[in-house]
Amino acid sequence: MKLIDQSYNLATDCLDKHAASLDNKHKKALITATQDPQSGKIYYQDFSYSTLTGLSNRLAHSLSQLQFPQGSRVILRLENQVEFVLSFIALIKAGLIPVPTSTQLTGEELKFLIQDSQAVTLISSLEKIPESFHFAESLKEFSHLKKLILLSPKNQKLPQQSLRWQDLLKKGQTNFKTLNTQAQDPAYWLYTSGTTANPKAVIHSHASIPAHDERAKAWQEMRLGDVIFNTSALNWSYALTAGLLDVWRHGLTSVIYHGKPSP
């Protein structure tokens, strides 16, 4: 599939096109498997292509109202949960660039990525903010960092200049139109692990997703009706693509797990 210099958006291809299809709109796009930390019991929740499109549109609309410049980077620090998936897709729909990161990064490591990416905001659950990361100080240190968007209970007090993720989702409109992009435009960034030096940004274009078609067909042998279980964290390239975006491009079902890893 040759996409050079063509109009193409991975959010439209991987999600919106299925929601617009009578054959696919009610198909399961995502199954979340979440383990209760106390009981160990796993709870499942299903999301159709139509449902995910509507929710991501609402979040994209609210994000667009924040008036960040198009192409601004946004650090994502969330576990394998539907909120990660919705945030990732909504940012792309709104013309912003998600930068998924590991929730295990220290405060200093997180600061490096914020500085290096020149991120305008950080999307995270409140409990995943490292104790060593002081947001008030970071706002002064990084002039490009404007807000913190937090996934948190309604009764939990937020730091100054923070927005509640759930409020953005609730206030958004479902009739949001995904930004028209070119195939070679940057879609998202991923950072290397930084084993031997500081992590380096790897910029993935929208066209990187259809570029995986041969892998999906010849290596993974994806077929109609497949359900694909991804065990790894979505901030890693293979998990994000082979376990989610490639799966959606072909109208299949992705399963993501949030809990203690065990055989």
Side-chain angles (χ1 to χ4, degrees), residues 27 223-227 251-253:
K27 282 185 178 179
R223 297 178 181 179
L224 189 65
D226 278 356
V227 177
L252 310 179
T253 302

Side-chain angles (χ1 to χ4, degrees), residues 24-115:
N24 290 347
K25 64 188 300 182
H26 299 304
K27 282 185 178 179
K28 291 179 185 178
L30 182 71
I31 300 172
T32 59
T34 307
Q35 184 182 49
D36 183 277
Q38 276 74 47
S39 68
K41 184 177 180 181
I42 297 175
Y43 295 90
Y44 298 91
Q45 192 171 7
D46 301 346
F47 300 88
S48 68
Y49 280 102
S50 179
T51 298
L52 288 177
T53 295
L55 291 172
S56 60
N57 280 351
R58 290 172 66 168
L59 185 57
H61 175 260
S62 288
L63 289 168
S64 69
Q65 298 301 299
L66 300 179
Q67 297 185 327
F68 295 132
Q70 186 176 327
S72 294
R73 274 73 61 200
V74 176
I75 298 289
L76 273 185
R77 187 183 173 92
L78 292 169
E79 299 284 1
N80 278 21
Q81 56 197 115
V82 68
E83 290 85 358
F84 175 101
V85 173
L86 290 175
S87 298
F88 181 88
I89 291 293
L91 288 165
I92 291 175
K93 287 187 172 189
L96 303 172
I97 297 178
V99 185
T101 62
S102 171
T103 57
Q104 297 181 11
L105 295 179
T106 65
E108 288 305 309
E109 289 170 328
L110 181 58
K111 283 184 177 182
F112 171 81
L113 297 189
I114 290 172
Q115 173 62 37

